[in-house]
């Protein structure tokens, strides 16, 4: 078949510059569409970990049903029960949310059972996948714990009719054991807090107010938020009633749809039915005659839907930090850090090692204060910032540093910044510290969702202002920092108010450093998280990857590179031992430090890796043969060291092979790089790096090593050797995590790369540089 000149050019570009980036590929579908009466879609979202990593988290499975009046959002996190997963979205659980935007409500199913004289309470842990049925103008969502190993089979059927503001629920529990269950009682909880102020239960034909502290049982219950102008009505049907409680604390309420207490023989079931009606006004009378459009949803014909599309975090291309800006911002301070896990005195030696790998910030715990002071002093002597994590846990209050500062310390022993792990999304575990009425001029019951978030963000910021004020009595120039997995994984939470929350935190100003953490290979998520903090105005943001959640070096590097594109001020690895690390796992901290050096360079480094996607250098070193062209320079020792590290052949040469091998990469060393002056992304001569500085660049299948002098060139070669060390780990780890089908795809990709037109283009380029050796 004859190919057009455009096709040939595309093949040549693919071969020389590598495969097209993900953003350049054809757009993929964002969701799996499900046929039904309503708009239904389903998708997957990566959480943490990677195939073959030591640690991981399950993939999210998400289904959304929108009937134009309300939305049902079902999220399955394998092994985690349906729970109260609403703003502030912590702890992470599976959930079934009923959205009357901006209001949201979580469906939490439980069953009480006495089995062989032993009482127990079971939650519904949904099995993976979704089940839908369509009957007329209604869809039925079925949720069950089938396959979870429980002998009490729990089934929930939600009938969602197009355009209907109500959801009709049928809940059934079946005894699948061979022994009877006593005192079986279904309970499905709903509840909210803070910005809800109007509650009512029926008396005769009317609703009457329920005051804080009241509780009772009824056939209906109504909760309304004047701030959101939204509410929910709970209408009991066959086999159940509503047990309601209005707590005295911050407008908290709960409505529990409660079934009859029964005994179930083996194989028997108990069923209850009810409706939840969404409203946009305060009701004065209970809704009557709320009949389900599907009388018996359990008899519907269900189809199982298994989503296959992985949805990625949204990223904005404008404002991305790319290679030209890295070069332009070379003198701007940046973080190349590590949270060091080491005892004493080993920590002192580890600081020296980290310094040799370009580290300029270390986070340690207080431990034994006298030893910690020595570590801080040593780090300062090496030119590092020393951050300290205080004692205590975020759920118990702010971090404490009194042990470190139990006596006056010289500046050399004072920490540069003080913080702790804030292991939650918004304000979970933080208590109110302010008067809402004084701040907003109205009671909490009339607050909007945005005002609620802004208020809690102010309370969060107050806590850290208190920490800053406390530590500055001992360390006048000290700052504050915290780790946080926020914003949460994109496309999971129903409501997104992170911008409101972050803008309040940003008011803490220059003393604050935030370390958003993400431990996965959905690289857009890393960029998205950092960008949200930076867009909110937070002064200093360092991306935090963790040991154990990545399977290969390129995954650490790609995540850190994505964070750099999102305007990160640097990166800091979390929970890394150095000398205490197992020899086979040292590649993890080395990956973080090399990625930090490549993406966040500053002038004091000996060598720079000026490559837009540094992981591509590791991948190339791991998978190819190399020819080293150096002109008259003797690079035999360098070639030998590379040959010992790399899986492919490494051949030094003073002339270009004839014919040139299209499968081999070329490394041009020193003067040889000048033979292709227009091939490099960065003009080194314009950098004015000074003496003793080296640089690595890469264009297509050619790597260039540059030096301002012989010493600088040596530094560039030493840096490439470190990348080669990672490449060896990359190759080893890739083999251990690659399936047979993966390997076949790799072979097909390699064959495509060796397509004759592309190979011809490559040979032409190499021949054009043949004057390297005359």
């Amino acid at each position: 078949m004859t190919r057009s000149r455009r096709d040939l050019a595309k093949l040549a570009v693919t071969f020389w510059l590598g495969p097209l980036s993900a953003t350049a590929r054809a757009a993929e579908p964002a969701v799996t569409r499900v046929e039904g009466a309503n708009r239904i879609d389903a998708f997957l979202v990566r959480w943490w970990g990677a195939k073959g990593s030591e640690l991981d988290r399950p993939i999210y499975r998400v289904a959304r049903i929108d009937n134009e009046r309300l939305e049902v959002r079902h999220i399955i996190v394998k092994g985690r029960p349906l729970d109260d997963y609403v703003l502030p979205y912590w702890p992470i659980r599976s959930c079934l949310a009923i959205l009357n935007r901006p209001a949201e409500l979580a469906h939490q199913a439980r069953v009480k059972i006495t089995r062989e004289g032993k009482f127990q309470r079971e939650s519904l842990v949904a099995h993976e996948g979704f089940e839908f049925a369509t009957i007329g103008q209604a869809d039925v969502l079925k949720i069950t714990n089938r396959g979870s190993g429980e002998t009490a089979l729990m089934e929930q059927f939600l009938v969602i009719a197009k355009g209907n503001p109500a959801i009709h629920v049928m809940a059934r529990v079946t005894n699948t054991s061979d022994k009877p269950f006593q005192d079986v009682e279904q309970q499905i909880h709903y509840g909210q807090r803070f910005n809800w102020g109007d509650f009512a239960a029926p008396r005769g034909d009317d609703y009457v107010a329920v005051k804080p502290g009241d509780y009772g049982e009824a056939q209906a219950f109504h909760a309304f938020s004047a701030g959101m102008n939204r509410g929910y009505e709970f209408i009991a049907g066959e086999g159940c009633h509503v047990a309601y409680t209005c707590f005295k604390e911050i407008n908290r309420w709960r409505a529990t749809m409660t079934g009859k207490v029964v005994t179930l023989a083996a194989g028997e079931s108990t069923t209850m039915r009810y409706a939840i009606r969404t409203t946009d006004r305060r009701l004065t009378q209970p809704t009557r005659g709320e009949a389900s459009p599907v009388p018996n949803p359990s008899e519907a014909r269900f189809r199982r839907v298994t989503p296959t599309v992985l949805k990625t975090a949204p990223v904005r291309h404008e404002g991305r930090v790319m290679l030209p800006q890295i070069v332009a911002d070379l003198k701007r301070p940046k973080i190349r850090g590590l949270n060091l896990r080491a005892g004493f005195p080993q920590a002192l030696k580890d600081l020296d090692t980290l310094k040799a790998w370009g580290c300029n910030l270390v986070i340690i715990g207080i431990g034994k204060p006298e030893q910690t002071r020595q570590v801080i002093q040593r780090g300062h002597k090496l030119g590092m910032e020393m951050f300290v994590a205080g004692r205590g846990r975020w759920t118990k209050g702010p971090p404490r540093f009194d042990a470190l500062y139990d006596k006056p310390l010289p500046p050399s022993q004072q920490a540069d910044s003080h913080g702790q792990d804030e292991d939650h999304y918004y304000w979970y575990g933080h208590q109110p510290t302010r008067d809402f009425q004084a701040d907003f001029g109205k009671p909490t019951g009339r607050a909007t969702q945005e005002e609620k978030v802004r208020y809690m963000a102010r309370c969060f910021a107050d806590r850290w202002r208190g920490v800053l004020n406390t530590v500055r009595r001992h360390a006048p120039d000290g700052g504050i920092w915290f780790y946080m997995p926020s914003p949460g994984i994109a496309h999971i939470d129903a409501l997104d108010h992170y911008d409101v929350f972050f803008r309040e935190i940003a008011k803490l100003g220059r003393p604050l450093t935030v370390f958003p953490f993400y431990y996965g290979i959905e690289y857009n998520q890393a960029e998205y998280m950092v960008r949200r903090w930076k867009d909110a105005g937070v002064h200093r943001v360092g991306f935090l990857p963790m040991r154990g959640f990545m399977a290969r070096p390129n995954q650490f590097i790609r995540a850190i590179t994505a964070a750099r594109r999102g305007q990160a001020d640097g990166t800091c690895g979390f929970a890394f031992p150095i000398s205490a690390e197992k020899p086979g796992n040292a590649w993890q901290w080395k990956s973080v430090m090399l990625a930090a050096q490549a993406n966040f360079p500053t002038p004091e480094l000996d060598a720079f890796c000026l490559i837009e996607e540094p992981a591509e250098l590791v991948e190339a070193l791991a998978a190819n043969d190399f020819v080293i062209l150096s002109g008259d320079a003797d690079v035999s020792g360098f070639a030998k060291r590379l040959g010992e590290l790399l899986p492919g052949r490494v051949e030094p040469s003073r002339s270009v092979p004839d014919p040139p091998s299209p499968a081999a990469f070329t490394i041009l060393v020193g003067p040889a790089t000048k033979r292709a002056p227009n091939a490099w992304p960065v003009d080194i001569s314009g950098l004015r790096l000074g003496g003793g500085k080296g640089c690595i660049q890469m264009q297509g299948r050619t790597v260039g090593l540059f030096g301002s002098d012989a010493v600088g060139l040596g530094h560039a070669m030493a840096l490439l050797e470190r990348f080669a060390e990672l490449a060896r780990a990359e190759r080893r780890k890739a083999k251990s995590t690659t399936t047979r089908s993966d390997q076949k795809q790799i072979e097909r990709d390699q064959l495509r790369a060796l397509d004759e037109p592309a190979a011809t283009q490559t040979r032409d380029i190499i021949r054009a540089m043949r004057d390297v050796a005359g």
Side-chain angles (χ1 to χ4, degrees):
M1 182 179 69
T2 304
R3 288 176 171 166
S4 69
R5 295 179 67 180
R6 177 176 293 182
D7 291 335
L8 292 174
K10 191 180 296 183
L11 283 166
V13 168
T14 301
F15 189 81
W16 185 248
L17 297 181
L20 292 174
S21 67
T23 54
R25 297 189 190 112
E28 297 178 346
V31 294
T32 299
R33 292 285 182 212
V34 181
E35 290 187 11
N38 303 293
R39 179 187 174 91
I40 306 174
D41 55 46
F43 52 90
L44 306 173
V45 179
R46 289 190 187 278
W47 192 1
W48 292 349
K51 183 179 178 181
S53 60
E54 298 172 49
L55 307 169
D56 66 2
R57 295 290 184 271
I59 296 261
Y60 286 98
R61 289 164 170 79
V62 184
R64 299 181 304 201
I65 307 102
D66 186 342
N67 79 344
E68 299 176 356
R69 293 292 298 273
L70 57 82
E71 179 186 335
V72 173
R73 193 180 190 92
H74 184 25
I75 300 171
I76 298 175
V77 183
K78 185 178 180 180
R80 304 195 180 198
L82 293 183
D83 215 326
D84 191 22
Y85 189 74
V86 294
L87 193 71
Y89 302 117
W90 201 269
I92 296 171
R93 293 290 185 264
S94 297
C95 82
L96 178 70
I98 301 169
L99 299 170
N100 183 20
R101 292 183 183 275
E104 59 179 343
L105 200 63
H107 172 107
Q108 308 158 65
R110 312 279 192 271
V111 62
K112 294 180 179 179
I113 298 173
T114 300
R115 184 163 26 199
E116 297 181 329
K118 184 179 179 181
F119 171 80
Q120 62 190 75
R121 181 183 286 109
E122 297 179 6
S123 298
L124 197 162
V125 179
H127 71 142
E128 297 181 49
F130 304 103
E131 293 183 81
F132 292 99
T134 301
I135 301 174
Q137 290 297 300
D139 294 307
V140 182
L141 170 64
K142 178 181 177 182
I143 305 171
T144 173
N145 66 345
R146 186 185 306 278
S148 66
E150 299 289 352
T151 52
L153 174 62
M154 301 172 68
E155 298 171 291
Q156 321 271 291
F157 303 88
L158 280 76
V159 179
I160 306 150
K162 188 175 182 64
N164 193 329
I167 292 176
H168 294 81
V169 181
M170 171 181 162
R172 180 168 67 190
V173 172
T174 303
N175 179 0
T176 59
S177 75
D178 57 1
K179 293 183 174 58
F181 292 167
Q182 286 83 33
D183 303 322
V184 179
E185 182 182 62
Q186 293 194 79
Q187 294 183 336
I188 301 180
H189 302 292
Y190 303 92
Q192 263 293 356
R193 60 195 72 79
F194 196 87
N195 51 342
W196 294 77
D198 298 288
F199 312 105
R203 182 182 297 167
D205 293 333
D206 299 317
Y207 270 128
V208 295
V210 175
K211 297 178 180 179
D214 288 352
Y215 59 91
E217 297 180 353
Q219 289 303 109
F221 178 74
H222 177 48
F224 186 77
S225 166
M228 293 184 286
N229 203 35
R230 293 290 186 271
Y232 295 93
E233 183 183 23
F234 303 88
I235 307 165
E238 174 192 341
C240 69
H241 64 270
V242 189
Y244 62 85
T245 304
C246 291
F247 300 88
K248 292 183 178 180
E249 54 180 283
I250 316 182
N251 303 323
R252 187 162 74 91
W253 61 272
R254 183 175 64 215
T256 301
M257 308 309 297
T258 307
K260 294 179 179 178
V261 179
V262 298
T263 295
L264 295 181
E268 289 186 337
S269 301
T270 181
T271 300
M272 67 178 186
R273 303 169 189 268
Y274 62 92
I276 301 175
R277 189 176 186 85
T278 59
T279 70
D280 57 7
R281 60 184 177 86
R282 187 183 292 105
L283 301 181
T284 58
Q285 293 182 320
T287 302
R288 304 292 183 186
E290 188 66 49
S292 172
V294 181
N296 195 347
S298 64
E299 296 179 353
R301 192 177 218 173
F302 288 90
R303 59 195 184 279
R304 187 174 176 80
V305 174
T306 302
T308 58
V309 176
L310 275 164
K311 200 171 178 67
T312 63
V315 294
R316 296 206 321 271
H317 292 275
E318 65 276 11
R320 272 181 158 182
V321 175
M322 309 299 280
L323 183 59
Q325 192 169 340
I326 294 176
V327 175
D329 290 346
L330 195 63
K331 294 182 180 180
R332 184 173 64 85
K334 304 176 191 74
I335 298 169
R336 297 186 298 274
L338 211 69
N339 166 227
L340 177 62
R341 299 299 173 92
F344 187 86
Q346 194 60 54
L348 301 175
K349 179 182 176 181
D350 288 349
L351 289 179
D352 292 335
T353 301
L354 287 172
K355 179 63 176 179
W357 281 76
C359 182
N360 64 5
L361 184 152
V362 171
I363 302 177
I364 57 174
I366 289 180
K368 295 182 178 180
E370 192 54 48
Q371 295 175 353
T372 302
R373 294 173 191 133
Q374 293 182 54
V375 175
I376 292 172
Q377 187 164 345
R378 177 61 180 165
H380 284 157
K381 188 175 180 179
L382 293 170
M384 296 176 172
E385 288 186 87
M386 298 301 294
F387 284 23
V388 171
R391 290 179 176 172
R393 179 172 167 76
W394 57 274
T395 53
K396 305 297 183 183
R400 303 185 308 277
F401 300 91
D402 47 311
L404 180 64
Y405 295 116
D406 61 357
K407 62 181 181 180
L409 299 179
S412 63
Q413 294 183 355
Q414 296 170 11
D416 295 292
S417 195
H418 310 75
Q420 72 174 1
D421 189 354
E422 291 279 8
D423 193 8
H424 55 95
Y425 285 159
Y426 287 88
W427 60 83
Y428 185 83
H430 289 236
Q431 298 303 313
T433 59
R434 309 167 71 96
D435 186 321
F436 184 90
Q437 179 92 33
D439 272 15
F440 293 90
K442 57 184 174 182
T444 57
R446 300 188 65 82
T448 65
Q449 291 285 49
E450 185 172 308
E451 289 167 338
K452 170 184 174 180
V453 173
R454 184 177 294 113
Y455 169 76
M456 293 307 300
R458 289 176 182 176
C459 296
F460 182 99
D462 283 347
R463 168 160 150 169
W464 283 99
R465 284 191 189 92
V467 174
L468 183 62
N469 292 336
T470 299
V471 299
R472 283 197 165 174
R473 290 199 290 266
H474 310 285
D477 297 324
I480 50 176
W481 63 268
F482 53 78
Y483 309 130
M484 206 170 188
S486 188
I489 305 298
H491 308 300
I492 298 301
D493 302 343
L495 305 177
D496 184 341
H497 292 289
Y498 286 112
D499 293 344
V500 175
F501 194 76
F502 293 168
R503 282 195 292 268
E504 290 294 332
I505 295 173
K507 294 176 183 177
L508 289 166
R510 297 183 72 86
L512 174 66
T513 302
V514 176
F515 295 101
F517 61 87
Y518 171 69
Y519 308 148
I521 58 171
E522 207 287 85
Y523 306 119
N524 279 3
Q525 178 69 24
E527 179 176 347
Y528 159 84
M529 293 176 76
V530 170
R531 187 67 177 270
R532 297 288 298 265
W533 283 100
K534 293 300 292 184
D535 284 351
V538 174
H539 172 65
R540 199 180 192 206
V541 179
F543 175 66
L544 191 87
M546 181 179 174
R547 180 196 178 280
F549 280 94
M550 302 296 195
R552 290 157 36 189
N554 78 330
Q555 294 167 347
F556 276 113
I557 298 171
R558 287 186 180 276
I560 291 169
T561 300
R564 177 260 291 168
R565 292 192 184 114
Q567 302 182 2
D569 298 290
T571 187
C572 180
F574 178 66
F576 284 87
I578 303 299
S579 54
E581 181 60 277
K582 296 176 183 177
N585 284 334
W587 63 267
Q588 297 195 53
W589 69 262
K590 291 179 179 180
S591 297
V592 172
M593 296 319 303
L594 272 187
Q597 186 168 341
N599 286 285
F600 303 105
T602 49
E604 70 271 18
L605 294 174
D606 291 330
F608 309 94
C609 175
L610 300 182
I611 300 174
E612 173 58 44
E613 187 66 74
E616 292 179 356
L617 175 59
V618 174
E619 292 158 357
L621 291 169
N624 293 278
D625 297 331
F626 282 83
V627 174
I628 302 177
L629 300 180
S630 59
D632 295 329
D634 181 8
V635 293
S636 56
F638 171 59
K640 181 180 179 182
R641 292 191 298 274
L642 279 187
E644 291 170 350
L645 290 169
L646 298 180
R649 293 192 306 275
V650 178
E651 299 178 1
S653 177
R654 296 190 178 183
S655 63
V656 179
D658 191 8
S661 169
F665 265 64
T666 304
I667 299 176
L668 302 182
V669 180
T673 59
K674 298 178 182 179
R675 307 302 181 182
N678 299 319
W680 309 113
V682 179
D683 180 5
I684 302 300
S685 63
L687 290 183
R688 299 179 182 177
L689 297 175
K693 301 295 185 180
C695 171
I696 300 174
Q697 296 199 65
M698 181 175 169
Q699 184 75 333
R701 300 177 68 82
T702 303
V703 177
L705 303 185
F706 304 78
S708 56
D709 48 33
V711 173
L713 186 58
H715 288 152
M717 290 190 284
L719 182 58
L720 188 66
E721 288 175 35
R722 286 186 170 176
F723 276 102
E725 184 181 347
L726 291 189
R728 180 170 60 182
E730 177 77 21
R731 178 78 169 205
R732 184 177 71 250
K733 293 293 180 179
K735 281 186 175 181
S736 66
T737 58
T738 301
T739 64
R740 187 183 295 263
S741 61
D742 292 335
Q743 187 59 43
K744 287 182 178 179
Q745 184 60 47
I746 290 170
E747 291 170 359
R748 285 195 292 269
D749 291 343
Q750 289 174 339
L751 287 173
R752 279 200 299 270
L754 292 175
D755 195 291
E756 181 58 29
T760 300
Q761 289 285 334
T762 302
R763 284 194 289 268
D764 290 344
I765 293 169
I766 295 176
R767 287 193 182 101
M769 297 190 295
R770 184 151 288 146
D771 60 348
V772 167

